[in-house]
Coordinates of all heavy atoms in Angstrom, one line a residue:
M1 N 325.5 145.8 76.0 CA 325.8 145.7 77.4 C 326.5 144.4 77.7 O 326.1 143.3 77.3 CB 324.5 145.8 78.2 CG 324.6 145.4 79.7 SD 323.1 145.4 80.6 CE 323.3 147.0 81.4
L2 N 327.5 144.5 78.5 CA 328.3 143.3 78.9 C 327.6 142.6 80.1 O 327.4 143.2 81.1 CB 329.7 143.7 79.3 CG 330.6 142.6 79.8 CD1 330.9 141.6 78.7 CD2 331.9 143.1 80.4
C3 N 327.2 141.4 79.9 CA 326.5 140.6 81.0 C 327.5 139.7 81.7 O 327.5 139.5 82.9 CB 325.3 139.9 80.4 SG 324.1 140.9 79.8
Q4 N 328.4 139.1 80.8 CA 329.3 138.1 81.4 C 330.5 138.0 80.4 O 330.3 138.1 79.2 CB 328.6 136.7 81.5 CG 329.5 135.6 82.0 CD 328.7 134.4 82.3 OE1 327.7 134.4 82.9 NE2 329.2 133.3 81.7
F5 N 331.7 137.9 81.0 CA 332.9 137.8 80.2 C 333.7 136.7 80.8 O 334.1 136.6 81.9 CB 333.7 139.1 80.3 CG 335.0 139.1 79.6 CD1 335.0 139.0 78.2 CD2 336.2 139.3 80.3 CE1 336.3 139.0 77.6 CE2 337.4 139.4 79.6 CZ 337.4 139.2 78.3
T6 N 334.0 135.7 79.9 CA 334.8 134.5 80.3 C 336.1 134.4 79.4 O 335.9 134.5 78.2 CB 333.9 133.2 80.2 OG1 332.8 133.3 81.0 CG2 334.7 132.0 80.6
F7 N 337.2 134.2 80.1 CA 338.4 134.0 79.3 C 339.4 133.1 80.1 O 339.1 132.8 81.2 CB 339.1 135.4 79.1 CG 339.5 136.1 80.4 CD1 340.9 136.0 80.8 CD2 338.6 136.8 81.2 CE1 341.3 136.6 81.9 CE2 339.1 137.4 82.4 CZ 340.4 137.3 82.7
S8 N 340.4 132.6 79.4 CA 341.4 131.8 80.0 C 342.7 131.9 79.3 O 342.8 132.4 78.2 CB 340.9 130.3 80.0 OG 340.8 129.8 78.7
N9 N 343.8 131.5 79.9 CA 345.1 131.5 79.3 C 345.5 132.9 78.8 O 346.0 133.0 77.7 CB 345.2 130.4 78.2 CG 346.6 130.1 77.9 OD1 347.5 130.2 78.7 ND2 346.9 129.6 76.7
Y10 N 345.3 133.9 79.6 CA 345.7 135.2 79.3 C 346.5 135.8 80.4 O 346.0 135.9 81.5 CB 344.4 136.1 79.0 CG 344.8 137.5 78.6 CD1 345.2 137.7 77.3 CD2 344.7 138.5 79.4 CE1 345.5 139.0 76.8 CE2 345.1 139.8 79.0 CZ 345.5 140.0 77.7 OH 345.8 141.3 77.3
R11 N 347.7 136.2 80.1 CA 348.7 136.8 81.0 C 348.7 136.0 82.3 O 349.1 134.8 82.3 CB 348.4 138.2 81.2 CG 348.5 139.0 79.9 CD 348.2 140.5 80.0 NE 349.2 141.2 80.8 CZ 350.3 141.7 80.2 NH1 350.5 141.7 78.9 NH2 351.2 142.4 81.0
S12 N 348.3 136.5 83.5 CA 348.5 135.8 84.7 C 347.3 134.8 85.0 O 347.3 134.1 86.0 CB 348.6 136.8 85.9 OG 347.4 137.6 86.0
F13 N 346.3 134.8 84.1 CA 345.1 133.9 84.3 C 345.3 132.6 83.5 O 345.2 132.7 82.2 CB 343.8 134.6 83.9 CG 343.5 135.7 84.8 CD1 343.8 137.0 84.5 CD2 342.8 135.5 86.0 CE1 343.4 138.1 85.3 CE2 342.5 136.5 86.8 CZ 342.8 137.8 86.5
R14 N 345.7 131.5 84.1 CA 345.8 130.3 83.4 C 344.5 129.6 83.2 O 344.1 129.1 82.2 CB 346.8 129.4 84.1 CG 347.0 128.0 83.4 CD 348.0 127.1 84.2 NE 347.4 127.0 85.5 CZ 348.1 126.5 86.5 NH1 349.4 126.2 86.4 NH2 347.6 126.4 87.7
D15 N 343.8 129.5 84.3 CA 342.5 128.8 84.3 C 341.4 129.7 83.9 O 341.6 130.9 83.8 CB 342.2 128.3 85.8 CG 343.2 127.3 86.3 OD1 343.8 126.6 85.5 OD2 343.4 127.3 87.5
E16 N 340.2 129.1 83.6 CA 339.1 129.9 83.1 C 338.6 130.9 84.2 O 338.5 130.5 85.3 CB 338.0 129.0 82.7 CG 336.8 129.7 82.0 CD 335.8 128.8 81.4 OE1 336.0 128.3 80.3 OE2 334.8 128.5 82.2
M17 N 338.4 132.1 83.8 CA 337.9 133.2 84.7 C 336.6 133.8 84.1 O 336.5 134.0 82.9 CB 339.0 134.2 84.8 CG 338.6 135.5 85.4 SD 338.4 135.3 87.2 CE 338.2 137.0 87.6
T18 N 335.6 134.0 85.0 CA 334.4 134.6 84.5 C 334.1 135.9 85.4 O 334.2 135.9 86.6 CB 333.2 133.7 84.7 OG1 333.4 132.5 83.9 CG2 331.9 134.3 84.3
F19 N 333.9 137.0 84.6 CA 333.5 138.3 85.2 C 332.0 138.4 84.9 O 331.7 138.6 83.7 CB 334.4 139.4 84.6 CG 334.0 140.8 85.2 CD1 334.4 141.1 86.4 CD2 333.3 141.6 84.4 CE1 334.1 142.4 86.9 CE2 333.0 142.9 84.9 CZ 333.4 143.3 86.1
S20 N 331.2 138.4 85.9 CA 329.7 138.4 85.7 C 329.1 139.7 86.3 O 329.5 140.1 87.3 CB 329.1 137.2 86.3 OG 327.7 137.3 86.1
M21 N 328.2 140.3 85.5 CA 327.4 141.4 86.0 C 326.1 141.0 86.6 O 325.2 141.9 86.8 CB 327.3 142.4 84.9 CG 328.6 143.1 84.4 SD 329.4 144.0 85.7 CE 328.3 145.4 85.7
Q22 N 325.8 139.7 86.7 CA 324.6 139.3 87.2 C 324.5 139.5 88.8 O 325.4 139.2 89.5 CB 324.3 137.8 86.9 CG 323.0 137.3 87.3 CD 322.7 135.9 86.7 OE1 323.6 135.3 86.1 NE2 321.5 135.5 86.8
A23 N 323.4 140.0 89.2 CA 323.2 140.3 90.7 C 322.9 139.1 91.5 O 322.4 138.1 90.9 CB 322.1 141.3 90.8
T24 N 323.3 139.1 92.7 CA 323.0 138.0 93.6 C 321.5 138.2 94.2 O 320.8 139.1 93.8 CB 324.0 138.0 94.8 OG1 323.8 139.2 95.5 CG2 325.4 137.8 94.3
Q25 N 321.1 137.4 95.1 CA 319.8 137.4 95.6 C 319.6 138.5 96.7 O 318.5 138.6 97.3 CB 319.4 136.1 96.2 CG 319.4 135.0 95.1 CD 318.4 135.3 94.0 OE1 317.3 135.8 94.3 NE2 318.7 135.0 92.8
M26 N 320.6 139.3 97.0 CA 320.5 140.3 98.0 C 319.4 141.3 97.6 O 319.3 141.7 96.4 CB 321.8 141.1 98.2 CG 322.9 140.3 98.8 SD 324.5 141.1 99.0 CE 324.0 142.6 99.9
K27 N 318.6 141.7 98.5 CA 317.4 142.6 98.2 C 317.8 144.1 98.5 O 316.9 144.9 98.2 CB 316.2 142.2 99.1 CG 315.9 140.7 98.9 CD 315.2 140.5 97.6 CE 314.6 139.1 97.6 NZ 314.8 138.4 96.3
E28 N 318.9 144.4 99.1 CA 319.2 145.8 99.5 C 319.0 146.8 98.4 O 318.4 147.9 98.6 CB 320.7 145.9 100.0 CG 320.9 145.4 101.4 CD 322.3 145.6 101.8 OE1 323.1 144.7 101.5 OE2 322.5 146.6 102.5
F29 N 319.6 146.6 97.2 CA 319.6 147.6 96.2 C 318.8 147.1 95.0 O 319.1 147.5 93.8 CB 321.0 148.0 95.8 CG 321.8 148.5 97.0 CD1 322.8 147.7 97.6 CD2 321.6 149.7 97.5 CE1 323.5 148.1 98.6 CE2 322.3 150.2 98.6 CZ 323.3 149.4 99.1
S30 N 317.8 146.4 95.1 CA 317.1 145.7 94.0 C 316.4 146.8 93.1 O 316.2 146.5 91.9 CB 316.0 144.7 94.5 OG 315.1 145.4 95.3
E31 N 316.1 148.0 93.6 CA 315.5 149.0 92.8 C 316.5 149.6 91.8 O 316.1 150.2 90.8 CB 314.9 150.1 93.6 CG 315.9 151.0 94.4 CD 316.3 150.4 95.7 OE1 315.8 149.3 96.1 OE2 317.2 150.9 96.3
S32 N 317.8 149.4 92.0 CA 318.7 150.0 91.0 C 319.3 149.0 90.0 O 320.1 149.3 89.2 CB 319.9 150.7 91.8 OG 320.5 149.7 92.6
L33 N 318.8 147.8 90.1 CA 319.3 146.7 89.1 C 318.6 146.9 87.8 O 317.5 147.5 87.6 CB 318.9 145.3 89.7 CG 319.6 145.0 91.0 CD1 319.2 143.6 91.5 CD2 321.1 145.0 90.9
I34 N 319.3 146.4 86.7 CA 318.8 146.5 85.4 C 318.2 145.2 85.0 O 318.8 144.2 85.1 CB 320.0 146.8 84.4 CG1 320.6 148.1 84.8 CG2 319.5 146.9 83.0 CD1 321.9 148.4 84.1
P35 N 316.9 145.2 84.6 CA 316.3 143.9 84.2 C 316.9 143.4 82.9 O 317.1 144.2 81.9 CB 314.8 144.3 84.0 CG 314.7 145.7 83.9 CD 316.0 146.3 84.5
G36 N 317.2 142.1 82.8 CA 317.7 141.5 81.6 C 316.8 140.4 81.1 O 315.8 140.2 81.7
G37 N 317.2 139.8 80.1 CA 316.5 138.7 79.5 C 316.5 137.5 80.5 O 317.4 137.4 81.3
D38 N 315.5 136.6 80.3 CA 315.4 135.4 81.1 C 315.4 135.7 82.6 O 316.0 135.0 83.4 CB 316.6 134.4 80.8 CG 316.7 134.0 79.4 OD1 315.6 133.9 78.8 OD2 317.8 133.7 78.9
S39 N 314.7 136.7 82.9 CA 314.5 137.1 84.3 C 315.8 137.4 85.1 O 315.8 137.2 86.3 CB 313.6 136.2 85.1 OG 314.2 134.9 85.3
Q40 N 316.8 137.8 84.4 CA 318.1 138.1 85.0 C 318.0 139.5 85.5 O 317.2 140.4 85.0 CB 319.2 138.1 84.0 CG 319.6 136.7 83.5 CD 320.8 136.8 82.6 OE1 321.3 137.9 82.3 NE2 321.4 135.7 82.3
R41 N 318.7 139.8 86.6 CA 318.9 141.1 87.1 C 320.4 141.5 87.1 O 321.2 140.7 87.6 CB 318.4 141.2 88.5 CG 316.9 140.9 88.6 CD 316.4 140.8 90.0 NE 317.3 140.1 90.9 CZ 317.5 140.5 92.2 NH1 316.8 141.4 92.7 NH2 318.3 139.8 93.0
L42 N 320.7 142.6 86.4 CA 322.1 142.9 86.1 C 322.5 144.1 86.9 O 321.7 145.0 87.2 CB 322.3 143.2 84.6 CG 321.9 142.0 83.7 CD1 322.0 142.4 82.3 CD2 322.8 140.8 84.0
L43 N 323.8 144.2 87.3 CA 324.3 145.3 88.1 C 324.6 146.5 87.1 O 325.1 146.3 86.0 CB 325.6 144.9 88.7 CG 325.6 143.7 89.7 CD1 327.0 143.2 90.0 CD2 324.8 144.1 90.9
P44 N 324.3 147.7 87.6 CA 324.6 148.9 86.7 C 326.1 149.2 86.8 O 326.6 149.9 85.9 CB 323.8 150.0 87.4 CG 323.6 149.6 88.8 CD 323.6 148.1 88.8
V45 N 326.8 148.8 87.8 CA 328.2 149.1 87.9 C 328.9 148.0 88.7 O 328.3 147.3 89.5 CB 328.4 150.5 88.6 CG1 327.9 150.4 90.0 CG2 329.8 151.0 88.6
A46 N 330.2 147.9 88.5 CA 331.0 146.9 89.3 C 332.3 147.5 89.7 O 332.9 148.3 89.0 CB 331.2 145.6 88.5
A47 N 332.9 147.0 90.7 CA 334.2 147.4 91.2 C 335.1 146.2 91.2 O 334.7 145.1 91.7 CB 334.2 148.1 92.6
V48 N 336.3 146.4 90.8 CA 337.3 145.3 90.9 C 338.4 145.7 91.8 O 339.0 146.8 91.6 CB 337.9 145.0 89.5 CG1 339.0 143.9 89.6 CG2 336.8 144.6 88.5
Y49 N 338.6 145.0 92.9 CA 339.6 145.3 93.9 C 340.3 144.1 94.3 O 339.8 143.0 94.2 CB 338.9 146.1 95.1 CG 338.0 145.2 95.8 CD1 338.3 144.5 96.9 CD2 336.6 145.1 95.4 CE1 337.4 143.7 97.6 CE2 335.7 144.4 96.1 CZ 336.1 143.7 97.2 OH 335.2 142.9 97.9
G50 N 341.5 144.3 94.9 CA 342.3 143.2 95.4 C 343.7 143.6 95.7 O 344.0 144.8 95.5
P51 N 344.5 142.7 96.1 CA 345.9 143.0 96.5 C 346.7 143.4 95.2 O 346.4 143.1 94.1 CB 346.4 141.7 97.1 CG 345.6 140.6 96.4 CD 344.3 141.2 96.2
N52 N 347.9 144.0 95.5 CA 348.8 144.3 94.4 C 349.2 143.0 93.8 O 349.4 141.9 94.4 CB 350.1 145.0 95.0 CG 349.8 146.4 95.5 OD1 348.8 147.0 95.1 ND2 350.7 146.9 96.3
A53 N 349.4 143.0 92.5 CA 349.7 141.8 91.6 C 348.7 140.7 91.7 O 349.0 139.6 91.6 CB 351.1 141.3 92.1
G54 N 347.4 141.1 91.9 CA 346.3 140.2 92.0 C 345.6 139.9 90.7 O 344.7 139.1 90.7
G55 N 345.9 140.6 89.7 CA 345.3 140.4 88.4 C 344.3 141.4 87.9 O 343.7 141.3 86.9
K56 N 344.2 142.5 88.6 CA 343.2 143.5 88.3 C 343.5 144.2 86.9 O 342.6 144.2 86.0 CB 343.1 144.6 89.3 CG 342.7 144.2 90.7 CD 342.8 145.3 91.7 CE 344.1 145.9 91.9 NZ 345.1 145.0 92.6
T57 N 344.7 144.5 86.7 CA 345.1 145.1 85.4 C 345.0 144.1 84.3 O 344.6 144.4 83.1 CB 346.5 145.7 85.5 OG1 346.6 146.7 86.5 CG2 346.9 146.3 84.1
N58 N 345.3 142.8 84.5 CA 345.2 141.8 83.5 C 343.8 141.5 83.1 O 343.5 141.2 82.0 CB 345.9 140.5 83.9 CG 347.4 140.7 83.9 OD1 347.9 141.6 83.3 ND2 348.1 139.9 84.7
L59 N 342.8 141.6 84.1 CA 341.4 141.5 83.8 C 341.0 142.7 82.9 O 340.3 142.5 81.8 CB 340.6 141.6 85.0 CG 339.1 141.7 84.8 CD1 338.5 140.5 84.1 CD2 338.4 141.9 86.2
Y60 N 341.4 143.9 83.2 CA 341.2 145.1 82.3 C 341.7 144.9 80.9 O 341.1 145.2 80.0 CB 341.7 146.3 83.0 CG 341.6 147.5 82.2 CD1 340.4 148.2 82.0 CD2 342.7 148.1 81.5 CE1 340.2 149.3 81.2 CE2 342.6 149.2 80.7 CZ 341.4 149.8 80.6 OH 341.2 150.9 79.8
R61 N 343.0 144.4 80.8 CA 343.6 144.2 79.5 C 342.8 143.1 78.7 O 342.7 143.2 77.5 CB 345.0 143.8 79.7 CG 345.9 145.0 80.1 CD 347.3 144.6 80.3 NE 348.1 145.8 80.6 CZ 349.3 145.8 81.1 NH1 350.0 144.6 81.2 NH2 350.0 146.9 81.4
A62 N 342.3 142.1 79.4 CA 341.6 141.1 78.7 C 340.3 141.6 78.2 O 339.8 141.3 77.0 CB 341.2 139.9 79.7
L63 N 339.6 142.5 79.0 CA 338.4 143.2 78.5 C 338.7 144.1 77.3 O 337.9 144.2 76.4 CB 337.8 144.0 79.6 CG 337.1 143.2 80.7 CD1 336.8 144.1 81.9 CD2 335.8 142.7 80.1
E64 N 339.9 144.7 77.2 CA 340.3 145.5 76.1 C 340.4 144.7 74.8 O 340.3 145.3 73.7 CB 341.6 146.2 76.4 CG 341.5 147.4 77.3 CD 342.9 148.1 77.4 OE1 343.9 147.4 77.5 OE2 342.9 149.3 77.5
Q65 N 340.6 143.4 74.9 CA 340.7 142.6 73.8 C 339.4 142.3 73.1 O 339.4 141.7 72.0 CB 341.4 141.2 74.1 CG 342.8 141.4 74.6 CD 343.7 142.1 73.6 OE1 343.8 141.8 72.5 NE2 344.4 143.1 74.1
L66 N 338.3 142.6 73.7 CA 337.0 142.4 73.1 C 336.9 143.2 71.8 O 337.4 144.3 71.8 CB 335.9 142.8 74.0 CG 335.5 142.0 75.2 CD1 334.6 142.7 76.2 CD2 335.0 140.6 74.8
P67 N 336.4 142.6 70.8 CA 336.3 143.3 69.5 C 335.3 144.5 69.6 O 334.3 144.5 70.4 CB 335.7 142.3 68.5 CG 335.1 141.2 69.3 CD 335.8 141.2 70.7
D68 N 335.6 145.5 68.9 CA 334.7 146.7 68.8 C 333.4 146.3 68.2 O 333.4 145.6 67.2 CB 335.3 147.8 68.0 CG 334.5 149.1 68.0 OD1 333.5 149.2 68.7 OD2 334.9 150.0 67.3
R69 N 332.3 146.6 68.8 CA 331.0 146.2 68.3 C 330.7 146.6 66.9 O 330.1 145.9 66.2 CB 329.9 146.8 69.3 CG 328.8 145.9 69.3 CD 327.9 146.3 70.5 NE 326.7 145.5 70.3 CZ 325.5 145.8 70.7 NH1 325.3 146.9 71.3 NH2 324.5 145.0 70.5
K70 N 331.3 147.7 66.5 CA 331.1 148.2 65.1 C 331.8 147.4 64.1 O 331.3 147.3 63.0 CB 331.6 149.7 65.0 CG 330.9 150.6 65.9 CD 331.5 152.0 65.9 CE 330.9 152.9 66.9 NZ 331.6 154.1 67.1
S71 N 332.8 146.7 64.5 CA 333.6 145.8 63.5 C 333.0 144.4 63.5 O 333.4 143.6 62.6 CB 335.0 145.8 63.9 OG 335.2 145.1 65.2
V72 N 332.1 144.0 64.3 CA 331.5 142.7 64.3 C 330.3 142.7 63.4 O 329.4 143.5 63.6 CB 331.1 142.2 65.8 CG1 330.5 140.9 65.7 CG2 332.4 142.2 66.6
V73 N 330.2 141.8 62.5 CA 329.1 141.8 61.5 C 328.3 140.6 61.8 O 328.7 139.5 62.2 CB 329.6 141.7 60.1 CG1 328.4 141.7 59.1 CG2 330.5 142.9 59.8

């Protein structure tokens, strides 16, 4: 499970960028959160939205660069 993804110097992202699945302190949907280690609460789903040319596709392409879990020893 992906909890946090940090990258920098990739395509339109020069500075360090972090995509986190950690939930905020909002109580609205707390029953649908996934319990994680160290008392973390993780989101089951996330949406990426923004203006045209805002970096959404480049974030997706950066995530595609993650190694396949089967190939990591």
